[in-house]
Amino acid sequence: MDESPILSVKNLAVSYKTRKGEVDAVRDVTFDIQRGENLGLVGESGCGKSTAAYSLVNFLGPNGHITRGEVLFKGESLRGRSESDLRKLRGADISMVYQEPMSALNPSMRIQDQLAESLITHRGVGKKNAYAESLEALKKVYMPDAEGVMTRYPHQLSGGQQQRVVIAMAMLNNPSLLIMDEPTTALDVTVEAAVLDLIAELQRKYNTAALYISHNLGVVARVSDKVAVMYAGEIVELASTREIFHNPMHPYTMGLMRCLPDVDAPKGTRTLYPIPGRVPSPANLPHGCIFAPRCEQVRGECTVDHPSLIEMEPGHQVRCLRRPQDWQEVRRLWSISAETSLNLATGPEREKPAPETVLNLEAAKVYYPVPFETIGGLFGLEKRRFVRAADEVSFSVQRGRTLGIVGESGCGKSTVAKAIVGLEPLHQGKIDFLNVDISHPLHKRGIESIRELQMVFQDPNGVLNPSYTIGEQIAFSLRRFHTVPPHQVRAEVERLLHAVKLDESYYNRLPRQLSGGEKQRVGIARAISTNPAMIVCDEPVSALDVSVQAAVLNLLLEIQNTQNTTMILISHDLSSVRFFSDEVAVMYLGRIVEIGPCEAIYAPPNHPYTTALLAAVPRPDPEAPASTVRLGGRVPSAVNPPSGCRFHTRCPFKIGAICEQEEPACLDLGHGHRIYCHLTPDKLIH
């Protein structure tokens, strides 16, 4: 059996031509991938992961090119190959799966034509046989209603279905190498789990080598055999997955590990340690070790000498000036900090005031009208239909506490959040906030209610005006609500900037001059500028790197602890919700299926849907036992939800006709823990 690597990259360097000259985006990258092996490539945004991957098949654009090094595929160099030669390889022997499936799918072509095109182009298969093989490929990726999907256009598919089409397309010609660039980042945790299972199964079946790019260390731990950690264009650590997660050596890798919330650690028992600073620009790299400005273990020579990637232990390469004899002390310090982060609840507890309900929802409904449906032919009656985005949602939140709301896309989480802050009108129901009825839309609410109820949005770009400076935008909120006298506005803006770990230099900057994490901090500063009683956070960290996520979560927790602010956290990341929340509500298709204290939600017994969500969470531990609980199918239409229990069409523990015909009653398990399911408490997952 041929034991030579399917892909061998040696001393790779990639540059881009810019108006300021050539910029080295990737430098001295070396790794091998064997047949059937999966190499995970991790690091923060801007570290060069995608550039390194795209350079393998010359997807760098007109201003990018390989300046040094060698790329060997099956022992033959890919450098200097003509575009026609590379085109024959792409989609045939080397395939790619992109982060955004719509960037790889033609919106004007049916799925069957796009799949068949790959077979016809690369293998000369006849049209009839190409359609047959394409259908079989969709079935191999467990596509529901594969025949129906073949005739649809990309926009008629869900995100998970689109990604399955791209994977099927990538695997059509049984490639030797599969390059995946963040293929599950935009997917729900349940769809992500199914896609990862699929990738692993296809790799085993076809012995395909894979390069898996991700910033999600939990996903990498689950799918990879080896891991390469990149920072600012260089590989700083390369080892087996087990070694990387259980024996990290480079300070950057250790820093990434300490940024991760743990789905098994309750609120208050763990802290997160974000890496200070940010990834340097490729055009302005520091002298010596490029990680030195952010490194807790920095020494004098680190700012002078540039380290090489050397083997510290057999099979474990590290780019650091420290030598094996130094690592005992480094590991000891890392172990102490990791252990400290798990024992934060040992201090004296502050006295808690009597519970005060800040927000109370009663049977809240948010419906969106859809076009009329004609009944009885051309001149028949017209029936009004609605998307039941939120359907009889009830809960309350007490002062100083956080309610986490979780569920898949389309379950109604964000709709509930928008209804609370007045951005969506209620169809029915009632919302009480600080003993005031705020069931009406935002423009009908009193100024005091608006001041006391603020929101942090998922995308800060959508709420920051690109034409105004950061200081002006925060100042506007202060003036609008008369938070401070006019002559104190500037000083208050600077205080708020410091409160979110920014300084006064940001006052005169425009949004385009800030990173994503900095923009999100500005959004938080504006939200807390009115000293509100409640902040609603809608996916505030989903688009951020792990280090920035840790910083933002720590900031929100600090604000809550110092100001006793009540919060609602909307998220699909169950690890972040566990870190931050006191109570959790699990939503499915517009309704709450389980609600209660965080500790109860994350421990059995659970609603079957909650069980599936928890089973799908990727844990940053390659030795964590894999759960076999997976959801099939897709979320039904909210226009015509299933009768009975809305989850019965996907429930792996369905017990019979009662699930299809009757809505489940509430199972009260005590201490505020309620489950809506036909299973009796002794039959629930334990």
Side-chain angles (χ1 to χ4, degrees):
M1 186 175 179
D2 185 8
E3 295 184 358
S4 61
I6 197 75
L7 179 71
S8 182
V9 178
K10 301 183 184 300
N11 307 117
L12 177 69
V14 178
S15 294
Y16 287 97
K17 294 179 181 178
T18 69
R19 287 176 293 179
K20 296 182 179 180
E22 285 211 351
V23 174
D24 293 330
V26 169
R27 302 170 308 283
D28 193 24
V29 167
T30 299
F31 60 81
D32 293 334
I33 305 179
Q34 304 293 331
R35 294 181 185 274
E37 186 177 58
N38 192 323
L39 172 68
L41 197 57
V42 303
E44 296 169 282
S45 297
C47 283
K49 307 185 298 295
S50 295
T51 297
Y54 289 3
S55 68
L56 305 180
V57 286
N58 198 28
F59 271 168
L60 296 172
N63 66 327
H65 62 284
I66 296 176
T67 55
R68 295 184 303 279
E70 194 65 73
V71 179
L72 300 176
F73 178 67
K74 292 184 175 180
E76 297 183 5
S77 176
L78 294 182
R79 280 197 69 185
R81 299 279 284 270
S82 66
E83 184 64 24
S84 60
D85 285 346
L86 289 173
R87 195 177 295 118
K88 292 176 183 178
L89 282 174
R90 299 170 187 153
D93 232 9
I94 301 176
S95 291
M96 295 196 69
V97 178
Y98 297 89
Q99 176 177 355
E100 175 48 60
M102 281 304 291
S103 65
L105 296 175
N106 189 325
S108 64
M109 292 176 63
R110 296 183 188 274
I111 298 301
Q112 60 188 11
D113 297 323
Q114 300 194 50
L115 290 170
E117 184 181 49
S118 177
L119 292 167
I120 295 170
T121 300
H122 293 289
R123 286 169 41 195
V125 178
K127 195 170 184 179
K128 184 177 180 180
N129 290 335
Y131 280 105
E133 287 193 37
S134 298
L135 178 60
E136 187 61 28
L138 287 182
K139 291 180 179 178
K140 286 178 180 177
V141 298
Y142 304 108
M143 178 70 77
D145 186 23
E147 292 83 358
V149 168
M150 287 277 284
T151 63
R152 295 174 192 158
Y153 290 94
H155 73 273
Q156 295 174 306
L157 307 179
S158 68
Q161 287 177 314
Q162 291 173 0
Q163 197 62 284
R164 286 175 188 246
V165 169
V166 174
I167 293 172
M169 189 183 300
M171 299 299 295
L172 264 177
N173 293 302
N174 298 334
S176 300
L177 176 65
L178 185 62
I179 301 174
M180 294 173 284
D181 186 12
E182 302 271 13
T184 62
T185 298
L187 304 179
D188 286 316
V189 65
T190 51
V191 181
E192 176 185 71
V195 169
L196 294 177
D197 289 344
L198 170 64
I199 291 171
E201 181 179 337
L202 293 175
Q203 273 193 269
R204 286 193 301 269
K205 187 173 183 178
Y206 298 105
N207 201 34
T208 304
L211 176 63
Y212 194 101
I213 302 168
S214 181
H215 70 271
N216 188 325
L217 294 174
V219 169
V220 169
R222 182 172 166 185
V223 302
S224 302
D225 303 296
K226 294 191 304 187
V227 176
V229 182
M230 282 195 74
Y231 181 75
E234 296 179 343
I235 289 180
V236 297
E237 188 162 5
L238 176 62
S240 69
T241 304
R242 188 190 182 285
E243 276 290 298
I244 289 290
F245 282 89
H246 292 291
N247 186 28
M249 288 189 173
H250 196 280
Y252 179 59
T253 310
M254 296 178 184
L256 291 177
M257 300 295 181
R258 297 196 303 172
C259 292
L260 299 176
D262 187 349
V263 72
D264 299 316
K267 180 178 181 179
T269 63
R270 183 180 180 87
T271 194
L272 306 179
Y273 294 93
I275 304 172
R278 57 195 293 187
V279 179
S281 166
N284 187 28
L285 296 174
H287 294 291
C289 174
I290 52 178
F291 186 62
R294 305 176 70 190
C295 182
E296 295 179 354
Q297 312 293 337
V298 65
R299 300 190 300 192
E301 65 268 28
C302 297
T303 58
V304 179
D305 300 326
H306 187 76
S308 301
L309 190 67
I310 64 170
E311 195 166 65
M312 293 285 188
E313 292 179 353
H316 198 146
Q317 300 177 53
V318 183
R319 189 183 298 274
C320 188
L321 293 175
R322 293 181 181 271
R323 292 298 174 257
Q325 60 269 23
D326 301 325
W327 282 102
Q328 185 174 358
E329 177 64 14
V330 175
R331 285 176 182 159
R332 187 184 71 82
L333 293 173
W334 183 69
S335 299
I336 290 174
S337 64
E339 184 178 346
T340 302
S341 73
L342 293 171
N343 292 279
L344 298 177
T346 56
E349 289 190 6
R350 62 184 181 184
E351 185 177 348
K352 297 180 180 179
E356 175 194 353
T357 299
V358 172
L359 180 77
N360 186 57
L361 265 72
E362 294 182 11
K365 295 182 180 181
V366 180
Y367 289 0
Y368 301 117
V370 295
F372 282 99
E373 180 183 47
T374 301
I375 304 173
L378 181 64
F379 301 104
L381 299 174
E382 288 186 331
K383 178 183 178 182
R384 169 64 80 183
R385 299 186 301 162
F386 295 92
V387 176
R388 303 179 184 183
D391 204 3
E392 296 190 8
V393 175
S394 300
F395 60 75
S396 60
V397 191
Q398 295 177 340
R399 184 175 294 279
R401 298 180 70 81
T402 299
L403 172 70
I405 304 180
V406 301
E408 297 170 287
S409 297
C411 72
K413 309 186 299 294
S414 294
T415 298
V416 169
K418 291 176 182 177
I420 291 172
V421 298
L423 298 179
E424 294 290 353
L426 280 184
H427 183 74
Q428 286 182 14
K430 185 179 180 182
I431 304 177
D432 279 331
F433 176 64
L434 296 176
N435 298 319
V436 176
D437 185 356
I438 59 168
S439 304
H440 22 267
L442 185 64
H443 66 276
K444 294 184 178 180
R445 295 184 180 181
I447 190 70
E448 185 64 20
S449 294
I450 297 174
R451 186 183 71 80
E452 293 285 1
L453 182 56
Q454 294 292 310
M455 187 166 184
V456 177
F457 294 86
Q458 178 177 359
D459 183 9
N461 292 309
V463 294
L464 293 178
N465 191 319
S467 302
Y468 288 86
T469 67
I470 297 304
E472 289 171 331
Q473 298 192 56
I474 299 176
F476 176 83
S477 180
L478 295 173
R479 296 189 183 100
R480 174 72 177 82
F481 295 104
H482 308 290
T483 308
V484 295
H487 68 280
Q488 295 180 11
V489 168
R490 173 78 189 221
E492 180 64 9
V493 171
E494 292 181 356
R495 186 192 71 80
L496 289 167
L497 288 172
H498 282 285
V500 295
K501 308 300 186 289
L502 301 175
D503 57 51
E504 54 274 5
S505 68
Y506 284 81
Y507 190 100
N508 292 315
R509 295 189 192 182
L510 293 170
R512 61 179 173 80
Q513 297 174 299
L514 275 61
S515 68
E518 289 171 335
K519 291 176 187 175
Q520 195 62 286
R521 293 184 189 207
V522 172
I524 294 171
R526 194 162 66 173
I528 66 174
S529 64
T530 64
N531 194 24
M534 170 174 276
I535 300 176
V536 179
C537 306
D538 186 10
E539 299 275 11
V541 298
S542 63
L544 306 178
D545 285 321
V546 288
S547 179
V548 184
Q549 282 185 18
V552 171
L553 288 174
N554 281 345
L555 173 61
L556 289 171
L557 198 57
E558 180 182 337
I559 290 169
Q560 183 175 55
N561 290 336
T562 56
Q563 301 182 14
N564 202 30
T565 307
T566 308
M567 293 192 182
I568 291 179
L569 176 66
I570 312 290
S571 181
H572 68 270
D573 182 355
L574 276 77
S575 299
S576 297
V577 170
R578 183 71 187 271
F579 170 80
F580 195 66
S581 302
D582 300 289
E583 286 83 31
V584 176
V586 183
M587 288 192 68
Y588 181 79
L589 204 59
R591 287 192 173 173
I592 290 176
V593 298
E594 183 170 6
I595 188 170
C598 197
E599 290 73 19
I601 298 295
Y602 281 79
N606 300 120
H607 188 281
Y609 180 58
T610 309
T611 299
L613 290 178
L614 291 171
V617 176
R619 288 169 165 78
D621 182 358
E623 297 181 348
S627 173
T628 57
V629 179
R630 292 289 183 267
L631 291 183
R634 57 190 295 187
V635 180
S637 169
V639 176
N640 186 26
S643 59
C645 173
R646 297 189 176 189
F647 185 57
H648 82 260
T649 58
R650 302 173 70 202
C651 182
F653 309 106
K654 178 181 171 182
I655 57 177
I658 187 174
C659 296
E660 302 174 3
Q661 299 168 1
E662 298 182 19
E663 291 189 7
C666 174
L667 296 176
D668 192 340
L669 303 184
H671 305 288
H673 186 194
R674 303 187 301 277
I675 296 177
Y676 297 84
C677 185
H678 288 297
L679 293 170
T680 57
D682 60 303
K683 299 290 185 181
L684 291 170
I685 305 301
H686 285 76

